[in-house]
Amino acid sequence: MSSDIAIKVENLSKIYQIYDRPIDRLKQSLFRGKKQYFREFKALDNVSFEIKKGETVGIVGKNGSGKSTLLQILAGTLNATHGNISVNGRVAALLELGSGFNPEFTGRENVYLNGAIMGLSENEIRERMPIIEQFAEIGDFIDQPVKTYSSGMFVRLAFACAINVDPDILIVDEALAVGDMQFQLKCIDKMKTFQKQGKTILFVTHDTYSVKNFCSQALWLMDGKVHLRGSVNTVIEAYEDFMKYSQTNAEGPVIPEAVNNSVLTINKVEFLNEQNSKTQDFKFGETVTVKVDYTLHSSMEGIVGGVALFDKQNTYICGLNTKLDNYKLPSQPGKYSLKIQYDKLNLLPGTYYVDVGFFESSGIVRLDYKSRCGYFRINSGDYFAEGIACFKHKWIIEG
């Protein structure tokens, strides 16, 4: 394998034997080879790809597409049925909640167990233990059985273990969705540090916004196969279109509200006309301003604010944010108003809804998010076009 390749997967398959009844499993063991009492399910089907060192790859796909199975095989917690995997470097994985932990062991004992699995000596683990304890912030629970832990404590200790074994490759599977916002922000800062150090990160999430902002490449799994692999924008745009129009998710991906708003709170959303007056009624072609009042409770650099427009059919019309436009927001605590001005808006008559949100710089953690938090109407007494928007145009005829 080339020295610049971190992970190489060749013709990887994982096949499960599905039994409809418990007795069928017994029959299969008794009459092995004479009759088949199971049906096969291919969680992964002939998957092949390469990931270069230093890449941050977002892995997306619907539930059941094979994402978690792939990561478990890469992490070494699950064996493949067929195919080969080559991994260049030490792998640390943060998979489903509590994966790799013995519930009867204390947190400290599990740290030693995980460190040994990662190839660290007892002395190396002992040297890193204070850092792990400090990062996890679970206090005296470090010496209690992990079966007594809350989900948040599980994640704190698991992430603290994963990042402090100095991995070359970090695998994260939706785990950061659990836990309080302050801890999520601390985890993201550590992952950003890994990126700067040239480490490889595999990041599985249903949140395509996070993938766009945090990842350099994307891989889309569908029915256990690699459906698309390439630049993050190309893959995610195709995936979002598929999710929006597929029959199983006709309304598109759901954007969750923020876990809490201890860092930032959206207070009010208003719409202003060209005279800077508050209104929800605008004429076609009039300038529309969306004003978002918010409070920043604690200092934070790199905050991103965004506004998205939707029509009554939930069509995503336009999404803009301050990161895309390289517009810097205040980082010190205080009350602020963020405005976005749509000059001479050419949306056709109808009702339009807005989402507003604020994120930390990578886009993974939502500081506060309000879905369909307001609406405005475009009015016109004339019938001049159909659809959503009217483009500047002219007719030409040649004879």
Side-chain angles (χ1 to χ4, degrees):
M1 185 170 68
S2 174
S3 60
D4 66 336
I5 300 297
I7 298 172
K8 184 175 183 179
V9 175
E10 298 177 284
N11 308 120
L12 185 69
S13 294
K14 178 62 179 178
I15 303 173
Y16 290 98
Q17 295 178 351
I18 307 299
Y19 295 89
D20 294 325
R21 300 175 302 170
I23 194 172
D24 290 340
R25 189 182 298 273
L26 176 61
K27 289 179 179 179
Q28 185 65 40
S29 64
L30 293 175
F31 303 103
R32 187 176 304 231
K34 297 181 180 179
K35 186 176 180 180
Q36 182 171 302
Y37 291 91
F38 61 84
R39 47 192 170 84
E40 292 186 342
F41 170 72
K42 290 187 177 181
L44 294 174
D45 185 7
N46 201 36
V47 171
S48 297
F49 62 87
E50 291 183 351
I51 295 176
K52 293 182 179 179
K53 288 184 177 179
E55 286 186 333
T56 299
V57 180
I59 302 178
V60 297
K62 293 164 56 177
N63 289 334
S65 61
K67 304 187 300 298
S68 295
T69 301
L70 173 62
L71 295 195
Q72 289 179 55
I73 294 175
L74 292 176
T77 61
L78 187 66
N79 292 323
T81 306
H82 305 293
N84 298 306
I85 292 179
S86 300
V87 178
N88 191 355
R90 175 182 286 165
V91 178
L94 189 59
L95 304 177
E96 66 270 13
L97 197 59
S99 176
F101 278 7
N102 186 322
E104 301 297 330
F105 288 5
T106 67
R108 190 181 304 277
E109 290 169 337
N110 272 291
V111 171
Y112 277 93
L113 175 62
N114 276 261
I117 293 173
M118 296 301 300
L120 298 179
S121 67
E122 186 174 346
N123 287 335
E124 288 176 317
I125 302 171
R126 187 179 298 111
E127 290 174 357
R128 300 179 195 204
M129 183 62 75
I131 301 174
I132 294 173
E133 289 187 67
Q134 183 180 12
F135 194 97
E137 295 180 343
I138 61 173
D140 294 338
F141 277 95
I142 190 74
D143 291 310
Q144 296 299 316
V146 298
K147 66 182 179 181
T148 66
Y149 286 13
S150 67
S151 59
M153 293 167 64
F154 255 119
V155 168
R156 285 174 175 270
L157 186 60
F159 196 90
C161 289
I163 64 172
N164 284 294
V165 297
D166 192 26
D168 302 298
I169 301 167
L170 178 65
I171 298 174
V172 181
D173 184 7
E174 292 283 6
L176 295 185
V178 181
D180 63 83
M181 183 181 293
Q182 295 292 346
F183 184 73
Q184 289 181 25
L185 293 172
K186 184 162 66 169
C187 294
I188 298 307
D189 285 340
K190 191 67 175 181
M191 290 168 66
K192 290 176 184 175
T193 301
F194 278 10
Q195 284 183 320
K196 293 176 182 177
Q197 293 173 345
K199 297 180 183 292
T200 305
I201 301 175
L202 272 63
F203 184 65
V204 167
T205 179
H206 287 95
D207 184 358
T208 56
Y209 183 88
S210 299
V211 177
K212 285 182 179 179
N213 282 272
F214 188 65
C215 302
S216 56
Q217 291 277 306
L219 187 151
W220 174 8
L221 285 178
M222 183 188 294
D223 299 327
K225 299 179 180 181
V226 176
H227 184 73
L228 191 62
R229 165 71 197 277
S231 67
V232 65
N233 286 333
T234 299
V235 175
I236 295 305
E237 286 176 7
Y239 175 66
E240 288 178 335
D241 286 343
F242 168 79
M243 292 297 289
K244 181 177 179 180
Y245 293 110
S246 66
Q247 293 181 349
T248 56
N249 193 12
E251 295 185 356
V254 176
I255 301 176
E257 300 288 336
V259 175
N260 61 58
N261 50 11
S262 60
V263 176
L264 184 149
T265 303
I266 297 172
N267 302 317
K268 185 170 57 177
V269 178
E270 296 178 331
F271 304 97
L272 308 176
N273 61 18
E274 294 175 351
Q275 290 73 43
N276 209 36
S277 298
K278 179 182 175 182
T279 184
Q280 288 178 288
D281 292 286
F282 299 87
K283 296 179 181 179
F284 173 80
E286 188 177 359
T287 295
V288 177
T289 298
V290 181
K291 178 187 175 186
V292 183
D293 294 336
Y294 70 97
T295 302
L296 181 59
H297 303 292
S298 56
S299 299
M300 178 177 288
E301 295 287 343
I303 293 174
V304 179
V307 176
L309 299 181
F310 299 82
D311 69 4
K312 288 189 295 185
Q313 285 72 43
N314 203 33
T315 302
Y316 192 1
I317 297 171
C318 180
L320 299 170
N321 65 59
T322 55
K323 183 177 181 178
L324 292 173
D325 292 328
N326 197 29
Y327 187 85
K328 188 176 181 179
L329 296 184
S331 59
Q332 297 305 310
K335 293 187 176 181
Y336 302 96
S337 294
L338 176 63
K339 297 180 181 179
I340 181 169
Q341 183 173 295
Y342 302 98
D343 291 331
K344 298 179 179 179
L345 193 63
N346 65 349
L347 289 177
L348 289 175
T351 301
Y352 299 92
Y353 300 86
V354 299
D355 284 14
V356 299
F358 290 86
F359 311 80
E360 51 79 38
S361 60
S362 71
I364 296 177
V365 179
R366 290 182 169 86
L367 306 179
D368 200 5
Y369 194 98
K370 304 296 183 185
S371 178
R372 309 303 190 269
C373 57
Y375 67 91
F376 63 91
R377 291 178 291 270
I378 301 294
N379 302 307
S380 176
D382 300 323
Y383 172 60
F384 55 92
E386 294 183 351
I388 296 175
C390 183
F391 302 123
K392 187 176 180 180
H393 62 282
K394 62 180 179 180
W395 297 99
I396 300 172
I397 186 170
E398 296 178 349

